[in-house]
Amino acid sequence: MTGTSALPWFAYSLSLAPDVARERLRNMPVLALPDGELAEALEVELVYDAPAPDWGGRVARLVDAPGRRVLGLLRRIPPPGWPLVARLEATLSLAAEERPVRVRTATGAVLSARTFTPPAPGYMPPGPVSVEFLVAHARAAERAALPASYVERLQAEAHLVQTVQRAQAQRPR
């Protein structure tokens, strides 16, 4: 990406809240992120199929999904900061692939933005979904002041996944 104007970046995961990123990246400085505006990425959804050993399970990946949407923040990043954003996303949740998304802002404007997602695995990896990641994602959404109903849904998903995975682990084989 080149040019001098700010680049629209859609943050939907742990990069929603710099303080959550700092907690995760103890030894890496986190760049100062500009304020963002509430937005939703259109025609996409989160799928938890990206293996992430550092998270102890699978983390979220953004995939095409007609009629679906993912809430987040739209931030405008000066071009010199773009490589730092890419490194932040890759370090937080292995979101190393840059992809375009259509985004609708709270004012109703629809525009093109860029986001980052983990690469698609070649197969469904074995193992659990990372509850630690789910909990951190819900905290990041809450601290970013995303709508309460969305935060509550993320919190409920984390609790449900934890409950189901615990029950499966305790089930006699």
Side-chain angles (χ1 to χ4, degrees), residues 11-36:
Y12 64 90
S13 186
L14 303 185
S15 55
L16 286 166
D19 57 331
V20 173
R22 277 186 201 90
E23 290 170 14
R24 182 72 186 169
L25 305 173
R26 292 172 195 89
N27 298 324
M28 181 181 155
V30 176
L31 70 149
L33 296 173
D35 289 338

Side-chain angles (χ1 to χ4, degrees), residues 120-143:
Y123 61 95
M124 177 54 119
V129 170
S130 170
V131 172
E132 183 183 359
F133 178 87
L134 291 169
V135 168
H137 184 190
R139 277 193 2 258
E142 182 175 37
R143 291 189 182 148

Side-chain angles (χ1 to χ4, degrees), residues 149-167:
S149 61
Y150 189 72
V151 171
E152 289 165 6
R153 190 185 98 202
L154 291 174
Q155 292 168 336
E157 285 176 0
H159 180 71
L160 178 64
V161 167
Q162 181 178 38
T163 301
V164 168
Q165 289 180 167
R166 239 187 230 150

Side-chain angles (χ1 to χ4, degrees), residues 2-15:
T2 60
T4 57
S5 61
L7 304 168
W9 167 45
F10 179 72
Y12 64 90
S13 186
L14 303 185
S15 55

Side-chain angles (χ1 to χ4, degrees), residues 7-149:
L7 304 168
W9 167 45
F10 179 72
Y12 64 90
S13 186
L14 303 185
S15 55
L16 286 166
D19 57 331
V20 173
R22 277 186 201 90
E23 290 170 14
R24 182 72 186 169
L25 305 173
R26 292 172 195 89
N27 298 324
M28 181 181 155
V30 176
L31 70 149
L33 296 173
D35 289 338
E37 64 178 301
L38 180 62
E40 59 185 359
L42 306 172
E43 310 297 324
V44 294
E45 70 180 349
L46 298 177
V47 174
Y48 293 88
D49 67 352
D54 288 353
W55 281 101
R58 300 186 314 258
V59 298
R61 183 171 67 87
L62 201 63
V63 299
D64 293 335
R68 304 297 305 255
R69 60 192 175 95
V70 172
L71 291 180
L73 294 177
L74 181 65
R75 292 188 170 111
R76 288 170 172 75
I77 305 296
W82 197 252
L84 299 173
V85 167
R87 191 171 83 213
L88 171 70
E89 289 277 28
T91 304
L92 282 173
S93 57
L94 305 177
E97 282 189 1
E98 186 177 333
R99 67 162 285 171
V101 288
R102 280 185 332 115
V103 174
R104 182 177 22 238
T105 66
T107 63
V110 176
L111 57 117
S112 293
R114 304 296 294 174
T115 194
F116 294 88
T117 189
Y123 61 95
M124 177 54 119
V129 170
S130 170
V131 172
E132 183 183 359
F133 178 87
L134 291 169
V135 168
H137 184 190
R139 277 193 2 258
E142 182 175 37
R143 291 189 182 148
L146 295 188
S149 61

